[in-house]
Amino acid sequence: AAQFHFLRIWLTELGVNQDLVLEAECGLAIMASGPPPPPKEHGIFPGTYEDLHKACREVMPTPFEGIKLAFNAASTNHFQASHSLSLTAAQPSSYKFGATYVGDKSGPEPGDQFPVFVSEMDTAGSLNAQIVHQPAERIRSRFVLQTEETSWENLQVDATYSGRDFSATAVVANPDPLSSQGTFVGQFLQGFSPSLAIGTELMYSRGGMGERARLSLAALFRRPRWQIAASLNKSSMQATYHMRYNDNVQLGAELTSSMSDAMKHSSVTVGYKLDVPMANVTFRGMVDTNWTVASVFEKRLVPYPFLLSLSAMLSHEQQAARVGVGMTIG
């Protein structure tokens, strides 16, 4: 605390803005705190196959371009409406209206409530809707519907069973019983210990381009602070690494490789997430081997229900830059 006091006095005498002084103190406090005591070990339940790389993906920023405005209003404890407006030079401006309903059935995890209905529609009539429900303690189902103006784009139904040390998921996408077409996916992930899990995914598709089948293998190795996940099939590979240094700093790295005859390409992405609770700031940044640099800065304007977002992305390979500003109310 003493060194922070002298730092505050020194920066103030130099005429530095008080907001910058506060942010400097917050940054030093985060680094000085160091890693917290080791968290508890994971249980033997490995999660789902779909969420193998989720921890790393949540670290990476999602850059956007132009101006984005969003307004969320909750009329009751169960219903919320949202309005979003996007203004960009690269694409036509768009407006979307969304609605969310959350039921009163409690789930196995604290804070979970079911069923959940989420929908969003734009001015062209395109609809994205999703229903998530947990009919039993260990079974969770999901229904997804997507339309593009007046045409059907995607229809998907899946169900996941969570055992004590495994998870199994069945997915049916775009089924057409009359023409015997559709896509069917089966996923299984088995936990052998709190640290190790191995799984597989089988995908079978039948449509206008004939029949296709693909078998994928996956593995997950995790420790209290970090984890490594990898999935592999005959045409692609993905491997991710996620590390939580402390409650405020997370690191992630991702390797993707396409081994198909049509396109052979590999890339590595490294990113981080920094939370500054004292300043209500979250910062995400990433850089990849395609010479793309991106970052997203988010700040809550307490005590108001405003979230300010600043986004920037620079592609040295394409010699293009994108900048975005967003404001979320509610």
Side-chain angles (χ1 to χ4, degrees), residues 7 16 62 64 67-68 167 187 245 253 263 288 315:
L7 173 67
V16 178
T62 304
F64 60 91
I67 300 175
K68 286 191 174 184
S167 65
Q187 299 172 339
Y245 178 72
M263 181 181 67
D288 63 19
S315 174

Side-chain angles (χ1 to χ4, degrees), residues 3 17 97 147 180 190 208 253 313 322:
Q3 63 266 35
N17 185 277
F97 171 76
T147 65
S180 300
Q190 174 70 56
M313 183 178 70
R322 296 179 181 179

Side-chain angles (χ1 to χ4, degrees), residues 261-300:
D261 296 334
M263 181 181 67
K264 294 185 178 180
H265 177 73
S266 298
S267 65
V268 176
T269 303
V270 179
Y272 67 92
K273 177 183 177 183
L274 173 65
D275 291 315
V276 188
M278 296 177 61
N280 300 300
V281 167
T282 299
F283 187 85
R284 291 179 173 89
M286 57 81 68
V287 60
D288 63 19
T289 52
N290 296 320
W291 301 106
T292 299
V293 182
S295 64
V296 174
F297 171 89
E298 296 178 339
K299 179 175 178 62
R300 293 198 173 275

Side-chain angles (χ1 to χ4, degrees), residues 3 19 47 91 114 118 184 251 259 315:
Q3 63 266 35
D19 292 338
Q91 299 178 351
F114 297 97
V118 181
F184 308 92
L251 304 175
M259 299 173 287
S315 174

